[in-house]
Each structure stands twice: as C-alpha cells, then as structure tokens.
Amino acid sequence: MLNDFRHYAPTCFIFGRDAEMKIGETLAGDGVKTVLLCRSSDEFLIKTGLLGRVTGELTSHGIRVVELDGIVPNPRLRRVYDGIKIAREEKVDAVVAVGGGSVIDTAKAVAAGVKYDGDVWDFYNGKAGKAKEALPVSVVLTLPATGSESGGVSVINNEDIHVKALTSADCLRPRFAFMNPQLCCTLPPFITACGIADMFSHAMERYFSDDDEINSIDFMCEGVMKAIVTFGRKVMADPQNYQYRAEIMWLGTVAHNETVGVGRNQDWSSHNIGNELSALYDTPHGASLSIITPAWMEYVYEEHLWRFARFARTVFDVTETDDLAAAKEGIRLTTEFFKELKLPTSFEEFNIPTDRIEEMAETASHVFGTDEIGSFKTLKKADIIEIFKNSIKKR
C-alpha cells in the first residue's frame, strides 16, 4: 500500500513555442508590480534576445524590472545574500528566474530570505526548519534538468564552508513556469547530457525504494525512466528537433515534482554523495551523478535484488530470467547510457582529486543530522567511503 501523503502542486505551466512571450500579461494579471529578475551572465541570454524579450514583455505590461546577474552552476550563497539585499531595497513583490536549476534555486532562496528575519542559510542547515513564506517565484526555463521549475526544493552551495545543502518547502514551488522547448535547441551537448542524467537520477532516487510492493507509482516511474532513456538518446543525436526537446523538457519536470514520488520512501544517496563533488570541486551536478550512481548501484543492488532486476527489464528491456544476472545487466546498461551521453563515470575521467574522500564521506553521512543516509540501503560513513573508492577508476 502507498504511504499516506500530502501533495501540493500549485505551479501553472505555460508550455510551448514562444511561451516566454506570455510572461508580462500573466504576471500583470497576478498583480505583480516589481520583479527581481535572476539570471546568469551567460551571453546566450543576450545573443538570442531572450533577456530582451522577457524584460520587454514585463515592462510593456507596467512591471518594473531589477536584476541579479552573475549566478553560476552550483549556485553560491553569497549571491543569494546579494539578491536578498537588492530585493528588499527595491521592494520587489515577485522573483523571476530566467535560466536552469541554479538560477531557479537562487531565486527561491532569495524569495524565502526576503521574508525571513534571520540568515537564509538557516533553512539549509536545519536551524530554522522549513520556510513558511516566500515571495512568489516564476520561471522561464532554459535548461531541462533539475525539475526546479515546479518543485519545492532549493539547493545552494555555501562556498565559505564547502557545503552544498538543500531546503524544501511548499512556499518555494514556483507560481508560473514558462517552458519553451525552442530555447533548448542550441544548448551544448555536455549541458544537455548533464540535464538528462539529472532527471534520470531523480526518477531513480524515487524508484529504488525499500518498499517490497509494486504499485501505480512504480509503473509511472518506470515509464518516465524509459522515456528519458529513449528521448535522451534521440535528442543527443538530433539536438535541433523540437519534439525531442519538448519531451525532455516535460520529463525533467515530471521526474522531480513528486508525480512519481508520492507515497514512497525515497533514497537520495547518490545525490547526497555526488553533492560533495560539487561542493569541493565544482563538479557539474549531472556529471557528479553519472560518476556516483553506477558505484552506488553496484554497492546496494543485493539489498532488494528483485527491484534491480525489474528496473533492468522494464527500463532497458533486459531479457535475462535470472534476477541476479538481470540486475547486473541493468547496472551495466545504466553505466553505458551515461557513457553514450559522453558523461564521466569515474573520478579519473574528470580529473577529480581523491585525497579528500574521507572528509566528503563524513559530510555526506551527516547531511540529515544523523550518521546515515538512504532508505533503499542505509549507508554510513564507511559505506560512502567504499562508494567513493569504487568511483575512482575508469569503468
């Protein structure tokens, strides 16, 4: 049976060609007067005219725009502080993120921080619990990956202490998400691949549960994972194809807005372990997952062998009748999928140092305030060290 759950999904999606051109009328109709527009300093936004189109639509509908630029992958806490200061000084009443997960997560952090009297990092280190209120956030999505355009999670990197941490709250779920697959057609192959790995991992973290029953959410999750593999391959081979970009864009959303996660004990070990590579070495999030996930799978698969065997058969069409053989083949094919995407599957391939493994394992094992992570298989520091060690050499 499903666990009891509460699912809140307030985001209004405006999806399709030129979706961003509806942002002015939409926000004006919602009573917005002044927005803080969060973005990177990537020339893409200017060269493609996207920034001009978005700001033009906002201003033409009487909405004043102030900007927070310079947001980078593995978004930095210092820039969040800058955004909170600007938002308060300019008395903004909404936040707009134009970009991918890092920009969106920064926008969410700013939105929560403006409404909080203390240090916004309190929400990420657990001192303040969940945020109770935030400015409304809207998103113009340029990179399908994190699912942050409709989820309540925000992940921020505190560069001063080398800790990447998350918070989650209903008030952080975006109010509007403007999703135009055309904006993704010129993304570099590596960035596209990182996004595919991230959304695939989001579904996997929910699927590899300690629940020994198969229910409707399992069937849905299997379908999402199979679709990500199918259209991930297609979009890498034909990046200008609007249909493939549209499929991947929506799959990124569905994989992480709890559509395939309600009522589950979810794992999240691969994410928590991989986050240490991003915190210390600024490893792109998708690459950290392609490195850690195969090693995690190899370490835990015997815990619920039948689920790994089912994953192999439903997602990768493995025909082995023996569960052990099927499970191992599923792990191999997952690794090969990451390699097809031209992503690293080891420290060695990405030139990541190996001298701080124990330190990373210590941090990862205490991310939830205890000495363990995971639900599929509970992992302590010693387990995480082994997973790191198994990730070192090229596969």
Side-chain angles (χ1 to χ4, degrees), residues 43-55:
E43 285 296 308
F44 161 84
L45 297 177
I46 297 171
K47 287 181 177 179
T48 60
L50 176 59
L51 182 61
R53 293 198 300 275
V54 172
T55 56

Side-chain angles (χ1 to χ4, degrees), residues 143-145 184-199 231-240 245 248 284 286-287 337-344:
L143 172 58
C184 308
C185 289
T186 56
L187 286 172
F190 179 74
I191 301 300
T192 299
C194 282
I196 293 167
D198 193 10
M199 62 183 74
F231 289 104
R233 287 169 171 158
K234 287 179 180 291
V235 82
M236 294 300 292
D238 187 4
Q240 298 294 319
R245 289 289 185 181
I248 285 295
F337 177 55
F338 292 144
K339 289 181 178 180
E340 281 183 57
L341 298 175
K342 294 184 167 50
L343 292 174

Side-chain angles (χ1 to χ4, degrees), residues 29 36 108 139-140 231 240 262 269 302 338 342 385 388:
L36 177 68
K108 291 177 180 178
V139 174
V140 177
F231 289 104
Q240 298 294 319
V262 293
S269 293
E302 292 181 304
F338 292 144
K342 294 184 167 50
I385 287 173
F388 275 131

Side-chain angles (χ1 to χ4, degrees), residues 48-250:
T48 60
L50 176 59
L51 182 61
R53 293 198 300 275
V54 172
T55 56
E57 279 296 308
L58 290 167
T59 56
S60 69
H61 285 81
I63 299 172
R64 188 168 69 95
V65 179
V66 294
E67 290 191 23
L68 175 72
D69 62 5
I71 299 170
V72 298
N74 296 317
R76 311 300 199 261
L77 179 61
R78 289 178 192 170
R79 205 67 185 124
V80 172
Y81 291 148
D82 293 338
I84 293 170
K85 183 174 183 291
I86 294 170
R88 285 173 173 166
E89 290 174 350
E90 298 291 341
K91 296 181 171 53
V92 308
D93 49 14
V95 183
V96 171
V98 181
S102 295
V103 174
I104 301 168
D105 285 2
T106 298
K108 291 177 180 178
V110 171
V114 169
K115 293 285 191 176
Y116 181 58
D117 289 335
D119 184 346
V120 70
W121 185 247
D122 292 347
F123 294 125
Y124 295 83
N125 63 21
K127 289 183 180 179
K130 293 179 180 290
K132 299 296 189 297
E133 58 179 339
L135 292 175
V137 175
S138 292
V139 174
V140 177
L141 184 64
T142 63
L143 172 58
T146 66
S148 198
E149 64 273 6
S150 68
V153 173
S154 169
V155 183
I156 296 294
N157 187 2
N158 186 332
E159 64 270 48
D160 291 335
I161 59 175
H162 300 294
V163 171
K164 187 175 180 182
L166 66 82
T167 189
S168 176
D170 282 347
C171 64
L172 298 182
R173 289 183 181 268
R175 188 167 177 81
F176 299 101
F178 301 87
M179 301 171 67
N180 176 4
Q182 292 169 309
L183 301 179
C184 308
C185 289
T186 56
L187 286 172
F190 179 74
I191 301 300
T192 299
C194 282
I196 293 167
D198 193 10
M199 62 183 74
F200 189 61
S201 181
H202 287 158
M204 289 180 69
E205 298 278 21
R206 293 171 165 89
Y207 182 75
F208 287 109
S209 170
D210 59 354
D211 186 352
D212 283 335
E213 291 186 18
I214 288 292
N215 55 48
S216 58
I217 298 301
D218 285 300
F219 285 104
M220 293 167 66
C221 196
E222 288 163 353
V224 167
M225 289 187 289
K226 189 173 183 64
I228 291 170
V229 172
T230 299
F231 289 104
R233 287 169 171 158
K234 287 179 180 291
V235 82
M236 294 300 292
D238 187 4
Q240 298 294 319
N241 188 299
Y242 176 88
Q243 184 63 34
Y244 300 159
R245 289 289 185 181
E247 296 285 356
I248 285 295
M249 180 172 264
W250 190 243

Side-chain angles (χ1 to χ4, degrees), residues 120 195 275 317 320 385:
V120 70
N275 279 346
D317 298 320
E320 292 281 358
I385 287 173

